[in-house]
Short mmCIF file of all heavy atoms in Angstrom, two decimals:
data_model
loop_
_atom_site.label_atom_id
_atom_site.label_comp_id
_atom_site.label_asym_id
_atom_site.label_seq_id
_atom_site.Cartn_x
_atom_site.Cartn_y
_atom_site.Cartn_z
N GLY E 141 129.08 98.05 54.19
CA GLY E 141 129.08 97.86 55.63
C GLY E 141 130.40 97.46 56.24
O GLY E 141 130.45 97.07 57.41
N GLN E 142 131.49 97.59 55.50
CA GLN E 142 132.77 97.12 56.03
C GLN E 142 133.26 97.97 57.21
O GLN E 142 134.11 97.51 57.98
CB GLN E 142 133.83 97.09 54.93
CG GLN E 142 134.17 98.43 54.31
CD GLN E 142 135.09 98.30 53.09
OE1 GLN E 142 135.32 97.20 52.60
NE2 GLN E 142 135.59 99.42 52.61
N ASN E 143 132.73 99.17 57.39
CA ASN E 143 133.07 99.96 58.58
C ASN E 143 132.66 99.26 59.87
O ASN E 143 133.21 99.55 60.94
CB ASN E 143 132.41 101.34 58.52
CG ASN E 143 133.05 102.24 57.47
OD1 ASN E 143 134.20 102.06 57.11
ND2 ASN E 143 132.29 103.20 56.97
N PHE E 144 131.69 98.38 59.78
CA PHE E 144 131.22 97.65 60.96
C PHE E 144 131.91 96.30 61.11
O PHE E 144 131.55 95.52 61.99
CB PHE E 144 129.71 97.46 60.88
CG PHE E 144 128.94 98.75 61.00
CD1 PHE E 144 128.59 99.47 59.87
CD2 PHE E 144 128.60 99.26 62.24
CE1 PHE E 144 127.90 100.67 59.98
CE2 PHE E 144 127.91 100.46 62.36
CZ PHE E 144 127.56 101.16 61.23
N VAL E 145 132.89 96.03 60.28
CA VAL E 145 133.70 94.80 60.31
C VAL E 145 132.81 93.61 59.96
O VAL E 145 132.44 93.44 58.80
CB VAL E 145 134.43 94.62 61.65
CG1 VAL E 145 135.49 93.53 61.52
CG2 VAL E 145 135.09 95.94 62.10
N GLY E 146 132.43 92.80 60.92
CA GLY E 146 131.68 91.58 60.62
C GLY E 146 130.25 91.86 60.20
O GLY E 146 129.53 92.62 60.82
N ARG E 147 129.82 91.25 59.12
CA ARG E 147 128.45 91.25 58.64
C ARG E 147 128.35 90.17 57.58
O ARG E 147 129.36 89.63 57.13
CB ARG E 147 128.01 92.61 58.10
CG ARG E 147 128.52 92.97 56.72
CD ARG E 147 129.89 93.57 56.78
NE ARG E 147 130.34 93.97 55.46
CZ ARG E 147 131.60 93.89 55.07
NH1 ARG E 147 132.54 93.42 55.88
NH2 ARG E 147 131.96 94.29 53.86
N ILE E 148 127.15 89.84 57.16
CA ILE E 148 126.92 88.75 56.22
C ILE E 148 126.23 89.32 54.99
O ILE E 148 125.00 89.50 54.97
CB ILE E 148 126.06 87.63 56.86
CG1 ILE E 148 126.66 87.20 58.20
CG2 ILE E 148 125.95 86.43 55.91
CD1 ILE E 148 125.74 86.33 59.03
N PRO E 149 126.99 89.64 53.94
CA PRO E 149 126.38 90.21 52.73
C PRO E 149 125.34 89.28 52.12
O PRO E 149 125.30 88.07 52.41
CB PRO E 149 127.58 90.40 51.80
CG PRO E 149 128.78 90.42 52.69
CD PRO E 149 128.44 89.49 53.82
N PHE E 150 124.52 89.82 51.24
CA PHE E 150 123.45 89.03 50.62
C PHE E 150 124.00 87.79 49.93
O PHE E 150 123.42 86.70 50.03
CB PHE E 150 122.67 89.91 49.64
CG PHE E 150 121.41 89.29 49.10
CD1 PHE E 150 120.78 88.23 49.74
CD2 PHE E 150 120.82 89.78 47.94
CE1 PHE E 150 119.61 87.67 49.25
CE2 PHE E 150 119.66 89.23 47.43
CZ PHE E 150 119.05 88.18 48.09
N ASN E 151 125.12 87.91 49.24
CA ASN E 151 125.69 86.73 48.58
C ASN E 151 125.98 85.62 49.57
O ASN E 151 125.73 84.43 49.30
CB ASN E 151 126.96 87.12 47.83
CG ASN E 151 126.68 87.81 46.51
OD1 ASN E 151 125.69 87.52 45.84
ND2 ASN E 151 127.54 88.74 46.12
N GLN E 152 126.53 85.96 50.73
CA GLN E 152 126.83 84.95 51.73
C GLN E 152 125.56 84.43 52.39
O GLN E 152 125.47 83.25 52.75
CB GLN E 152 127.79 85.51 52.79
CG GLN E 152 128.22 84.50 53.83
CD GLN E 152 128.94 83.30 53.21
OE1 GLN E 152 129.87 83.47 52.41
NE2 GLN E 152 128.53 82.09 53.58
N GLN E 153 124.57 85.29 52.54
CA GLN E 153 123.29 84.83 53.07
C GLN E 153 122.70 83.73 52.17
O GLN E 153 122.13 82.75 52.66
CB GLN E 153 122.31 86.00 53.19
CG GLN E 153 122.69 87.01 54.26
CD GLN E 153 121.70 88.16 54.37
OE1 GLN E 153 120.49 87.99 54.17
NE2 GLN E 153 122.19 89.36 54.69
N ILE E 154 122.85 83.92 50.87
CA ILE E 154 122.36 82.90 49.93
C ILE E 154 123.15 81.60 50.10
O ILE E 154 122.58 80.49 50.07
CB ILE E 154 122.44 83.42 48.48
CG1 ILE E 154 121.49 84.60 48.29
CG2 ILE E 154 122.12 82.31 47.48
CD1 ILE E 154 121.64 85.33 46.97
N LYS E 155 124.46 81.71 50.30
CA LYS E 155 125.27 80.50 50.54
C LYS E 155 124.85 79.81 51.84
O LYS E 155 124.82 78.57 51.91
CB LYS E 155 126.75 80.87 50.57
CG LYS E 155 127.30 81.32 49.22
CD LYS E 155 128.76 81.73 49.31
CE LYS E 155 129.28 82.23 47.97
NZ LYS E 155 130.67 82.73 48.05
N ASN E 156 124.52 80.59 52.85
CA ASN E 156 124.04 80.00 54.10
C ASN E 156 122.71 79.28 53.88
O ASN E 156 122.45 78.23 54.49
CB ASN E 156 123.88 81.08 55.17
CG ASN E 156 125.21 81.64 55.63
OD1 ASN E 156 126.27 81.08 55.36
ND2 ASN E 156 125.17 82.77 56.33
N PHE E 157 121.88 79.84 53.02
CA PHE E 157 120.62 79.19 52.67
C PHE E 157 120.89 77.85 51.98
O PHE E 157 120.18 76.86 52.23
CB PHE E 157 119.80 80.10 51.77
CG PHE E 157 118.58 79.46 51.17
CD1 PHE E 157 117.55 78.99 51.96
CD2 PHE E 157 118.46 79.32 49.78
CE1 PHE E 157 116.42 78.40 51.41
CE2 PHE E 157 117.34 78.74 49.23
CZ PHE E 157 116.32 78.27 50.04
N GLU E 158 121.89 77.79 51.14
CA GLU E 158 122.24 76.52 50.49
C GLU E 158 122.61 75.46 51.52
O GLU E 158 122.27 74.28 51.37
CB GLU E 158 123.38 76.74 49.50
CG GLU E 158 123.00 77.56 48.28
CD GLU E 158 124.12 77.64 47.25
OE1 GLU E 158 124.42 76.59 46.65
OE2 GLU E 158 124.71 78.73 47.08
N GLN E 159 123.30 75.86 52.58
CA GLN E 159 123.62 74.92 53.66
C GLN E 159 122.34 74.39 54.30
O GLN E 159 122.21 73.19 54.59
CB GLN E 159 124.49 75.59 54.71
CG GLN E 159 125.85 76.04 54.23
CD GLN E 159 126.60 76.84 55.29
OE1 GLN E 159 126.17 76.96 56.43
NE2 GLN E 159 127.74 77.41 54.90
N THR E 160 121.40 75.30 54.53
CA THR E 160 120.12 74.89 55.11
C THR E 160 119.38 73.95 54.17
O THR E 160 118.75 72.97 54.62
CB THR E 160 119.26 76.13 55.41
OG1 THR E 160 119.93 76.95 56.38
CG2 THR E 160 117.89 75.75 55.94
N LEU E 161 119.44 74.22 52.87
CA LEU E 161 118.80 73.32 51.90
C LEU E 161 119.37 71.92 51.98
O LEU E 161 118.63 70.94 51.90
CB LEU E 161 118.99 73.87 50.49
CG LEU E 161 118.10 75.03 50.04
CD1 LEU E 161 118.33 75.33 48.57
CD2 LEU E 161 116.64 74.74 50.31
N ASP E 162 120.67 71.81 52.14
CA ASP E 162 121.29 70.48 52.27
C ASP E 162 120.73 69.75 53.48
O ASP E 162 120.42 68.54 53.41
CB ASP E 162 122.81 70.62 52.38
CG ASP E 162 123.47 71.07 51.09
OD1 ASP E 162 122.84 70.94 50.02
OD2 ASP E 162 124.60 71.59 51.15
#
Side-chain angles (χ1 to χ4, degrees):
Q142 63 188 10
N143 288 335
F144 292 92
V145 193
R147 77 276 183 215
I148 309 168
F150 190 20
N151 282 327
Q152 183 60 50
Q153 291 180 34
I154 295 171
K155 292 177 182 176
N156 291 346
F157 171 62
E158 291 186 69
Q159 296 174 7
T160 298
L161 283 186
D162 290 341

